[in-house]
Amino acid sequence: MNTNTVPSAPEPQSLFLRACLGLDVAQTPVWLMRQAGRYLPEYREVRRQAGDFLSLCKNPELAAKVTLQPIERFGLDAAILFSDILVVPEAMGMKLQFLEGEGPHFPEPLTRQADLDRLTLPDPEVQLGYVMAAIREIRRILPSGVPLIGFSGSPWTLATYMIEGGSSKKFTLIKTALYNDPGFLEGLLERLVTAVVHYLNAQIDHGVQAVQIFDTWGGILGPDEYRRFSLEPMARIIAGLNRNRPDGSRIPVILFSKGCGGYLETIASSGCDVVGLDWTTPLGQARARLGPNIALQGNLDPAILYANPQRIRSEVRRVLESLGRQNGHIFNLGHGMEPNIDPLKVPQLISAVREESRRIRTP
Ligand code: 1CP
């Protein structure tokens, strides 16, 4: 395992943290990206109460409440902080809006060096103090056996939104910057690395027990550009994190670069403990390429949740059997839950993961 853990470090008890560190487990832990969200009627109700999405993120009590909703309803093996990756650019001084039905929007996207000079380095305790308050509140109300995952966007993924002004299909503006003005892009990535290191270390100080870096748009880059503009900044973040607690326990880092099955060896060189996979790379193939000393997370196609219970189970079995009885696997989707998924599919998925993984592990 890729650790410098103190030898006397206490072994974690939770299935999720054990799997992140490659320790043995009786069944495979499972959580789902975007497990708290619009597919849950109780989420839509709290969001209505908050008024809008960003107000929900900024209300620590309500953010904590929606973080716990999928835990209470389904008994998942980990909770993930309810927030959004784009609160960091907002804290750096950019205006951010979430337009109903259209997703995130930055009305004044970054275009030139002078725009970078106006960005500030946020103090996570101040501009992102509401996130820290949410983390404390979640830890207060979350059952102690359920670990809390903190997160951030990768610098590259955050930069796509800050330069494109929102979601994009072609990424024309950021790609133009990448090839025509790499110094501008690197200046932005540099600032984001510093901001994210401070932000994730503050999340760790306030109580998250693992962190995930979401690199949703790494897959739009070719191999050299991926290495330079996506992976390098993430590796610098990982090197800057306070991953070892004073009691010797470790904060695992999960790196999820979507669409990057071709770059697995590069991803594993980042210093992360867990590589997140989308559904295009079979887990067994990833294990053969990366070896046993790094954990894997994933990788069911989220669209399988539109299928019937038998098909869900057979696809879960296929994912689990690709690793057999090996340790170091956290079951997840290959990307987030879609808003139109029937919540009743989730317990079918979880039962299948637990029953099938126990069966596979029984000698
Ligand atoms: O209307 C609503 O209620 C907002 C929908 C929504 C939700 C539920 C958004 C807007 N963000 C979130 C929560 C969120 N976002 C979480 C919560 C924790 C969880 O339960 O998993 C997390 C981890 C994120 C991270 C995030 N935001 C990513 C990375 C992961 C991914 O999905 O690829 C990205 C790219 C964003 C940007 C964003 N925020 C919201 C939307 C709809 C988007 C994506 C827009 C796009 O496709 O470009």
Side-chain angles (χ1 to χ4, degrees):
M1 187 101 309
N2 176 9
T3 74
N4 45 3
T5 316
V6 184
S8 61
E11 275 199 359
Q13 296 302 311
S14 79
L15 292 174
F16 168 76
L17 290 172
R18 292 185 67 83
C20 288
L21 299 174
L23 301 169
D24 60 304
V25 290
Q27 67 188 25
T28 303
V30 51
W31 72 278
L32 307 171
M33 289 190 269
R34 293 265 181 98
Q35 63 193 22
R38 285 167 291 179
Y39 76 104
L40 289 177
E42 60 269 36
Y43 166 82
R44 296 195 297 269
E45 176 52 37
V46 175
R47 185 175 175 282
R48 222 181 346 261
Q49 243 175 283
D52 59 70
F53 172 67
L54 214 44
S55 306
L56 173 54
C57 293
K58 292 181 179 179
N59 181 321
E61 280 68 38
L62 295 184
K65 195 169 173 178
V66 295
T67 300
L68 263 77
Q69 285 174 344
I71 307 302
E72 286 161 352
R73 195 196 252 247
F74 307 121
L76 291 147
D77 290 299
I80 180 161
L81 164 68
F82 188 83
S83 186
D84 196 80
I85 61 169
L86 299 176
V87 299
V88 169
E90 190 195 43
M92 294 171 85
M94 292 186 76
K95 260 184 229 132
L96 170 64
Q97 303 161 340
F98 279 88
L99 306 175
E100 204 59 49
E102 280 180 53
H105 180 57
F106 290 106
E108 293 162 25
L110 309 176
T111 60
R112 57 170 105 67
Q113 183 63 38
D115 297 336
L116 300 189
D117 298 337
R118 282 194 293 273
L119 293 176
T120 54
L121 176 63
D123 177 347
E125 306 292 342
V126 180
Q127 288 91 340
L128 294 158
Y130 61 87
V131 178
M132 306 307 145
I135 291 169
R136 292 194 302 274
E137 177 61 10
I138 295 164
R139 284 298 307 276
R140 193 179 71 76
I141 61 179
L142 187 66
S144 64
V146 183
L148 175 62
I149 304 167
F151 70 90
S152 159
S154 72
W156 166 256
T157 290
L158 293 173
T160 65
Y161 290 96
M162 296 164 86
I163 291 178
E164 298 288 339
S167 305
S168 178
K169 284 209 166 69
K170 296 199 169 154
F171 300 94
T172 311
L173 299 172
I174 193 163
K175 288 230 172 173
T176 305
L178 187 158
Y179 292 113
N180 266 349
D181 194 2
F184 163 69
L185 180 56
E186 288 196 314
L188 173 57
L189 295 172
E190 183 66 48
R191 283 167 170 80
L192 286 166
V193 167
T194 309
V196 170
V197 167
H198 288 258
Y199 181 49
L200 288 178
N201 278 333
Q203 291 188 25
I204 292 170
D205 286 345
H206 286 272
V208 305
Q209 293 144 295
V211 298
Q212 175 155 327
I213 302 176
F214 285 93
D215 185 34
T216 305
W217 302 120
I220 66 167
L221 294 169
D224 292 344
E225 289 73 28
Y226 175 76
R227 190 181 285 277
R228 177 171 166 195
F229 297 101
S230 174
L231 197 279
E232 261 295 305
M234 292 193 289
R236 277 188 281 143
I237 289 170
I238 294 172
L241 296 182
N242 303 326
R243 296 155 89 182
N244 295 309
R245 288 206 196 274
D247 69 357
S249 62
R250 185 174 174 83
I251 311 290
V253 177
I254 308 166
L255 197 162
F256 174 62
S257 270
K258 185 165 179 287
C260 291
Y263 311 151
L264 290 187
E265 294 78 3
T266 308
I267 295 172
S269 74
S270 67
C272 65
D273 300 277
V274 183
V275 175
L277 297 167
D278 65 27
W279 58 95
T280 62
T281 309
L283 288 176
Q285 195 190 94
R287 178 69 93 213
R289 284 166 61 188
L290 300 181
N293 292 336
I294 192 155
L296 303 173
Q297 176 175 280
N299 68 344
L300 194 76
D301 180 350
I304 300 294
L305 292 174
Y306 298 121
N308 60 49
Q310 295 73 25
R311 189 62 198 268
I312 291 174
R313 182 167 289 254
S314 68
E315 292 294 326
V316 164
R317 194 181 306 129
R318 192 181 52 75
V319 169
L320 290 169
E321 282 176 349
S322 74
L323 282 181
R325 291 161 69 180
Q326 298 175 54
N327 291 328
H329 177 219
I330 301 109
F331 197 99
N332 206 317
L333 304 174
H335 199 199
M337 289 288 289
E338 293 293 339
N340 61 353
I341 295 283
D342 176 357
L344 295 177
K345 298 296 179 79
V346 177
Q348 296 168 8
L349 170 76
I350 296 175
S351 305
V353 172
R354 293 190 173 147
E355 290 161 17
E356 297 296 331
S357 67
R358 279 188 172 271
R359 189 186 54 75
I360 290 170
R361 284 170 183 279
T362 307

